[in-house]
Amino acid sequence: MKYDVIIIEKVEYELLKRIVSMAQYYKDSTYRASIEKLKNELEFAKIVSEKNMPEDVVRFNSKVEIATPFGINRTYQIVTPDHSNIKENKISILAPMGLALFGYAQGDKVEWEFPTGKNAIDIIKVEQMVREMKMQK
């Protein structure tokens, strides 16, 4: 792991805490397991301001090129649930893949429990997109 812990921007951290607090309402065990793992990682995460956020860390709206053990490379954008659209390769932060990648950096290898079982994903490239996320009070 490049930075030893996951790195999360302050506003995004608050939003993730809200998401994690809702985990008890998910019926799907894979989602609950993914959210539980993220919850554990949030306890040790490094929380930073926007200006101190490294460019190579996966966050909301990041485009992430990944390699899977199956020899498949794909690029996804990590988005809020209301912007999720798999046809456009936009995956929700609530999807197991979105939860798995969030806070990790380019060059990291991430092991996560997916619906198909435990898999390792290599993060090949991270590209930051324009931020338009706003917290609702």
Side-chain angles (χ1 to χ4, degrees):
M1 186 173 216
K2 184 174 186 176
Y3 295 109
D4 297 323
V5 294
I6 63 172
I7 298 177
I8 304 173
E9 190 274 334
K10 288 178 186 176
V11 173
E12 294 176 357
Y13 176 74
E14 292 302 320
L15 183 57
L16 282 174
K17 285 195 328 189
R18 289 183 189 179
I19 289 169
V20 166
S21 71
M22 296 177 63
Q24 63 187 342
Y25 301 110
Y26 286 94
K27 291 184 172 80
D28 184 282
S29 61
T30 303
Y31 277 85
R32 281 199 319 269
S34 291
I35 290 173
E36 193 60 36
K37 184 167 188 226
L38 178 65
K39 180 180 175 182
N40 292 336
E41 289 187 346
L42 288 177
E43 290 181 30
F44 302 102
K46 182 177 180 181
I47 312 305
V48 299
S49 65
E50 178 69 36
K51 70 178 182 169
N52 293 325
M53 189 68 187
E55 282 292 311
D56 63 347
V57 172
V58 179
R59 54 191 296 202
F60 285 103
N61 294 320
S62 295
K63 282 195 176 179
V64 185
E65 181 183 347
I66 61 164
T68 68
F70 316 110
I72 299 171
N73 281 30
R74 291 236 160 76
T75 300
Y76 295 105
Q77 186 173 9
I78 309 300
V79 297
T80 54
D82 55 321
H83 290 100
S84 179
N85 184 333
I86 198 65
K87 290 179 183 174
E88 295 176 3
N89 292 321
K90 293 181 177 184
I91 58 173
S92 169
I93 180 62
L94 295 180
M97 176 77 71
L99 289 165
L101 296 172
F102 204 89
Y104 283 88
Q106 185 171 306
D108 284 347
K109 181 182 282 279
V110 180
E111 286 191 15
W112 207 267
E113 189 69 37
F114 292 93
T116 57
K118 188 171 261 188
N119 281 304
I121 302 167
D122 290 311
I123 301 175
I124 307 299
K125 182 179 177 186
V126 177
E127 180 183 356
Q128 302 304 334
M129 309 310 289
V130 175
R131 306 245 166 262
E132 294 182 12
M133 188 182 73
K134 292 186 174 95
M135 292 267 307
Q136 294 181 352
K137 303 252 177 188

